[in-house]
Amino acid sequence: MSTFVLGHLSDPHLAPLPKPRLADLAGKRTLGFLNWRRKRHAIHRADVLARTVADLKAHAPDHIAVTGDLVNISLADEFAPARAFLETLGPPADVTLVPGNHDAYVRRAVGHPQAHWGDYMRGDEGAERSAGEPAFPFVRRRGPLALIGLSSAVPTGPLLATGRLGIDQLRRLAEILARLGREGVFRVVLIHHPPRSRRSDHFKRLVDGKALRAALARHGAELLIHGHDHVHSLQWLEGPRGRIPAVGVPSASAAPRGGEDAPAGYNLYCIDGTPGAWRCEAISRGLVREGENMVEIGRTMLVGD
Ligand SMILES: [Fe+2]
């Protein structure tokens, strides 16, 4: 079987931020807007994102996964440009998205991601899903892969960036992992928040990360990919047969300028093998210096020898 290549980028935090109306700047958005004006606008740059996308597309991945935070403070006017960005990556059949906390920044914005980006976050059964049915998790089959999309995006109070899956989504995830595990496909879980956070990241953690890790430990997955932390990262999670790699990528738009955010980068996962004998190698690419092209940062064997 030929190698299947999955591209993974995250957290583009698209610039520029549209001018908010005064009425939009209530509560949490005020802080988010000031934060953008003071700091974030210099980090997340459209020219850097264009470079990331060009480098990714030059590698011609079979499919692209995007793990959330397309927008910044969930203004209504941020969602259509984000849709246009998704379309530059590819049509909905070739790009799978899960939302991040900035895509559901405040309560009145929670419907926007589905309204604008729904066909990028839909399972193969697509439109057959009836109106009342939950949107997550969804499952898409591509080559040897089953992509399982989760939503950890929930509105929170000011200064919080926590995520939550909730018991219903976790229960459905367990069923899906068990069923796909029996089938032997290569299961890739997509989620914005990392399944385990450092103690210092208490206010941006996945609050039910422990329950997610328990479901993975019981039912397994071959790979989990996430965003949120804006750095290249690899954690090993407990699985029913060996460890499960949980891999994070930097913001796809971050300028190389130091600070907590790593310069822009993304991953390619090269998957081959057969059920029970999968192999997956991650190739990390990124910017090192301003004005230069992206380079390979490293290669890691995640699954197999
Ligand atoms: Fe982010």
Side-chain angles (χ1 to χ4, degrees):
M1 191 185 61
S2 61
T3 301
F4 188 97
V5 180
L6 175 67
H8 171 207
L9 63 81
S10 198
D11 297 76
H13 290 279
L14 292 165
L17 192 60
K19 204 169 158 42
R21 287 178 297 261
L22 207 54
D24 291 328
L25 289 183
K28 185 177 177 175
R29 273 188 183 143
T30 310
L31 286 172
F33 180 66
L34 293 175
N35 191 31
W36 176 265
R37 287 279 290 269
R38 213 176 53 234
K39 207 167 72 175
R40 310 297 307 173
H41 78 100
I43 299 174
H44 300 291
R45 283 187 0 214
D47 63 307
V48 174
L49 180 61
R51 200 172 280 240
T52 305
V53 171
D55 195 87
L56 171 60
K57 296 205 90 166
H59 287 82
D62 294 294
H63 195 83
I64 296 175
V66 184
T67 46
D69 279 5
L70 266 52
V71 300
N72 299 290
I73 54 175
S74 291
L75 294 169
D77 290 345
E78 287 187 276
F79 286 84
R83 167 82 195 194
F85 164 73
L86 286 170
E87 287 172 0
T88 66
L89 295 178
D94 296 336
V95 180
T96 299
L97 170 71
V98 294
N101 50 298
H102 283 263
D103 305 320
Y105 201 65
V106 292
R107 197 167 301 277
R108 67 181 136 146
V110 291
H112 292 336
Q114 276 299 339
H116 291 268
W117 315 330
D119 44 1
Y120 286 88
M121 310 193 288
R122 199 162 285 159
D124 292 327
E125 72 282 7
E128 288 154 42
R129 191 170 61 83
S130 52
E133 248 176 85
F136 299 93
F138 64 82
V139 179
R140 293 176 147 197
R141 310 296 194 94
R142 298 291 183 275
L145 275 55
L147 299 156
I148 302 150
L150 299 176
S151 175
S152 57
V154 286
T156 61
L159 304 177
L160 288 175
T162 48
R164 182 189 296 275
L165 292 166
I167 48 172
D168 289 342
Q169 192 178 182
L170 282 162
R171 181 177 43 74
R172 290 191 298 276
L173 173 68
E175 290 164 10
I176 288 166
L177 290 176
R179 173 165 51 81
L180 295 172
R182 285 191 293 274
E183 250 184 74
V185 290
F186 190 97
R187 296 163 293 181
V188 185
V189 176
L190 282 65
I191 181 172
H192 178 69
H193 289 77
R196 186 169 50 220
S197 291
R198 291 171 305 184
R199 193 183 291 263
S200 57
D201 286 340
H202 186 73
F203 297 106
K204 55 180 281 196
R205 76 196 191 285
L206 181 67
V207 296
D208 43 12
K210 193 174 172 189
L212 171 61
R213 298 196 301 274
L216 292 165
R218 173 130 191 241
H219 301 290
E222 280 57 50
L223 172 66
L224 179 145
I225 60 176
H226 67 84
H228 195 52
D229 286 345
H230 296 197
V231 290
H232 278 293
S233 66
L234 169 61
Q235 313 176 338
W236 292 100
L237 306 175
E238 190 190 330
R241 284 177 299 277
R243 311 180 296 174
I244 301 169
V247 186
V249 289
S251 160
S253 63
R257 62 191 288 282
E260 280 175 30
D261 285 21
Y266 71 92
N267 279 351
L268 296 163
Y269 307 103
C270 305
I271 296 144
D272 60 24
T274 51
W278 293 116
R279 292 159 43 88
C280 173
E281 183 177 42
I283 302 172
S284 298
R285 294 185 60 82
L287 286 181
V288 176
R289 264 178 294 280
E290 185 72 62
E292 291 184 3
N293 286 330
M294 287 207 148
V295 295
E296 185 174 313
I297 308 282
R299 282 178 187 240
T300 314
M301 209 63 200
L302 297 175
V303 180
D305 41 90

